[in-house]
């Protein structure tokens, strides 16, 4: 089972993501956090059972996604985690900054729900294959 941690401050976006991931319920479990501090506490509290991949929004209050990935990369027990940025921002500066902070991937969220579902389908297939196909 592919374990995903989704970090997004917007309840509607979390709900849409959970709905899109529900089509993959037999292969994926999704845990959500609403902000960076909550996510970092959850990750540090379960070092023996970390997610396979983290999906991270950039534009969040309290800690931005950039702050969160910086903390993940600075924490020895977490720095190896794949972190995928999922954002509405297609700014070249945001993309470059995310990769400078060692993001594993950067996805610009589709503006349509069917497009978003297709993105999630590709995401699940890719990360499931990375984790389980030999």
């Amino acid at each position: 089972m592919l374990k995903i941690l989704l970090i997004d401050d917007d309840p509607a976006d979390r709900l849409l993501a959970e709905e899109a991931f529900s089509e993959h319920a037999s292969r994926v479990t999704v845990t959500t956090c609403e902000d960076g501090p909550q996510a970092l506490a959850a990750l540090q509290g379960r070092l023996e059972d970390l997610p396979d991949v983290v999906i991270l929004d950039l534009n969040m209050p309290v800690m931005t996604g950039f702050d969160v990935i910086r903390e993940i990369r600075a924490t020895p027990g977490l720095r190896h985690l794949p972190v995928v940025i999922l954002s509405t921002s297609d700014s070249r500066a945001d993309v470059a900054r995310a990769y400078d902070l060692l993001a594993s991937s950067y996805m610009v969220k589709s503006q349509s729900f069917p497009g978003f579902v297709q993105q999630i389908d590709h995401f699940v297939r890719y990360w499931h294959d990375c984790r389980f196909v030999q």
Side-chain angles (χ1 to χ4, degrees), residues 5-19:
L5 174 62
L6 172 69
I7 308 166
D8 194 321
D9 65 304
D10 188 314
D13 285 347
R14 286 194 311 271
L15 185 61
L16 286 174
E18 288 173 334
E19 186 175 332

Side-chain angles (χ1 to χ4, degrees), residues 64-75:
T64 69
F66 296 121
D67 297 329
V68 174
I69 193 171
R70 186 179 298 108
E71 286 298 316
I72 288 172
R73 294 299 180 239
T75 305

Side-chain angles (χ1 to χ4, degrees), residues 6-130:
L6 172 69
I7 308 166
D8 194 321
D9 65 304
D10 188 314
D13 285 347
R14 286 194 311 271
L15 185 61
L16 286 174
E18 288 173 334
E19 186 175 332
F21 278 111
S22 71
E23 295 183 21
H24 302 280
S26 65
R27 302 185 327 163
V28 174
T29 60
V30 178
T31 303
T32 62
C33 289
E34 62 186 47
D35 62 30
Q38 180 188 39
L40 291 170
L43 287 168
Q44 292 169 344
R46 57 186 257 203
L47 291 175
E48 69 288 339
D49 186 33
L50 291 171
D52 295 302
V53 62
V54 173
I55 299 175
L56 178 60
D57 183 29
L58 286 183
N59 299 312
M60 298 187 295
V62 184
M63 289 182 83
T64 69
F66 296 121
D67 297 329
V68 174
I69 193 171
R70 186 179 298 108
E71 286 298 316
I72 288 172
R73 294 299 180 239
T75 305
L78 303 177
R79 69 172 49 131
H80 69 282
L81 282 175
V83 177
V84 174
I85 304 300
L86 177 62
S87 178
T88 56
S89 172
D90 62 357
S91 158
R92 287 178 162 247
D94 285 346
V95 174
R97 187 171 175 199
Y99 282 122
D100 284 345
L101 293 168
L102 304 177
S104 302
S105 182
Y106 191 108
M107 295 179 8
V108 177
K109 188 187 298 184
S110 175
Q111 293 183 351
S112 75
F113 186 69
F116 180 62
V117 169
Q118 186 175 25
Q119 283 180 303
I120 296 303
D121 291 345
H122 292 297
F123 174 90
V124 168
R125 190 174 314 115
Y126 175 80
W127 286 101
H128 188 273
D129 288 353
C130 285

